[in-house]
Amino acid sequence: AQTVTQSQPEMSVQEAETVTLSCTYDTSESDYYLFWYKQPPSRQMILVIRQEAYKQQNATENRFSVNFQKAAKSFSLKISDSQLGDAAMYFCAYSLYSSASKIIFGSGTRLSIRP
Amino acid sequence: GAGVSQTPSNKVTEKGKYVELRCDPISGHTALYWYRQSLGQGPEFLIYFQGTGAADDSGLPNDRFFAVRPEGSVSTLKIQRTERGDSAVYLCASSSKYPTSGGYNEQFFGPGTRLTVL
């Protein structure tokens, strides 16, 4: 069975600084997606970034980038130039490489931004 | 509407009662997913519809939970004989049959229904 583990329940960062959120996962599959989702107090899950397992290049979306280590089954999220609007719950997630597949989420990391 | 909508936003019920939670997916999306998010946890998969049929219901916790999507659009999650442990946020997501960016069928989430069982 696939599992996703986030070992940091809470993180805090100074505004404009950089923070890294950690995630490990377990799977026996070779083709899959990994994601980071943001969930603000409004409860709506927002996709931040996606990584295909077959791609060696780390995904980047503006201030958000990942460090994908397939052999180590590690998938961390780096947020550069942190902004107050980045404060939220962040979930690491996994799904099979399929046109339609359930998403398996980690337990989340609450990120707070210090002004 | 532009996004996935869920009603009601909040639902408070008493133990043993029956509840229905509604999800309106993005127009034209054929796939629809239900997830349950308990306090302090990540969402957990419940059931997935492709069109009108449940393609995967492996996440439903027991036979008190049931979901339908009779016309392939709106879906209703039904919970019988509610228990206090059913208290959670119930999230719905939908995706298109056609891949979007990078060949991926992104799941778009609604704001959820917070269910409280007293």
Side-chain angles (χ1 to χ4, degrees):
Chain A
Q2 296 90 6
T3 59
V4 178
T5 302
Q6 293 179 251
S7 58
Q8 304 158 313
E10 296 184 359
M11 292 283 284
S12 179
V13 64
Q14 193 76 31
E15 190 176 6
E17 297 296 308
T18 296
V19 64
T20 299
L21 307 184
S22 302
C23 172
T24 58
Y25 62 95
D26 190 24
T27 183
S28 58
E29 303 290 335
S30 58
D31 292 328
Y32 50 88
Y33 293 108
L34 294 167
F35 314 93
W36 280 96
Y37 278 88
K38 173 184 179 181
Q39 187 179 42
S42 66
R43 300 197 304 241
Q44 193 143 8
M45 300 290 279
I46 301 165
L47 179 63
V48 174
I49 199 165
R50 181 185 83 247
Q51 174 81 41
E52 287 87 346
Y54 70 85
K55 290 186 177 179
Q56 292 186 335
Q57 185 173 8
N58 289 323
T60 299
E61 289 287 345
N62 300 314
R63 297 182 296 108
F64 299 87
S65 61
V66 298
N67 184 0
F68 173 47
Q69 301 290 328
K70 191 171 184 179
K73 295 181 181 174
S74 169
F75 184 62
S76 62
L77 174 70
K78 184 171 80 172
I79 306 175
S80 303
D81 185 25
S82 298
Q83 300 175 0
L84 295 178
D86 295 334
M89 284 291 291
Y90 285 82
F91 292 95
C92 180
Y94 163 103
S95 77
L96 286 174
Y97 194 78
S98 166
S99 61
S101 181
K102 64 185 178 185
I103 298 174
I104 298 169
F105 291 87
S107 56
T109 296
R110 181 175 301 281
L111 178 65
S112 59
I113 312 294
R114 302 188 302 274
Chain B
V4 178
S5 61
Q6 292 186 245
T7 54
S9 177
N10 292 281
K11 175 72 176 178
V12 180
T13 191
E14 294 180 342
K15 180 175 178 296
K17 298 290 188 182
Y18 168 83
V19 296
E20 290 189 352
L21 311 179
R22 176 186 169 110
C23 172
D24 281 83
I26 293 172
S27 178
H29 278 192
T30 58
L32 186 147
Y33 304 78
W34 283 99
Y35 295 84
R36 178 170 71 172
Q37 186 174 18
S38 300
L39 189 64
Q41 299 296 316
E44 293 179 306
F45 169 78
L46 294 177
I47 186 170
Y48 150 58
F49 287 90
Q50 186 61 262
T52 59
D56 182 358
D57 64 357
S58 62
L60 294 178
N62 52 60
D63 60 6
R64 296 187 298 105
F65 288 74
F66 190 71
V68 296
R69 194 185 185 200
E71 297 178 357
S73 177
V74 171
S75 176
T76 304
L77 179 65
K78 308 180 180 192
I79 309 174
Q80 299 177 322
R81 305 183 303 280
T82 52
E83 300 177 357
R84 292 194 179 87
D86 298 335
S87 296
V89 173
Y90 289 81
L91 296 168
C92 176
S94 70
S95 68
S96 171
K97 68 183 293 186
Y98 302 108
T100 52
S101 64
Y104 173 63
N105 300 65
E106 181 176 347
Q107 292 186 27
F108 294 87
F109 284 81
T113 293
R114 181 181 299 281
L115 175 66
T116 303
V117 182
L118 301 176

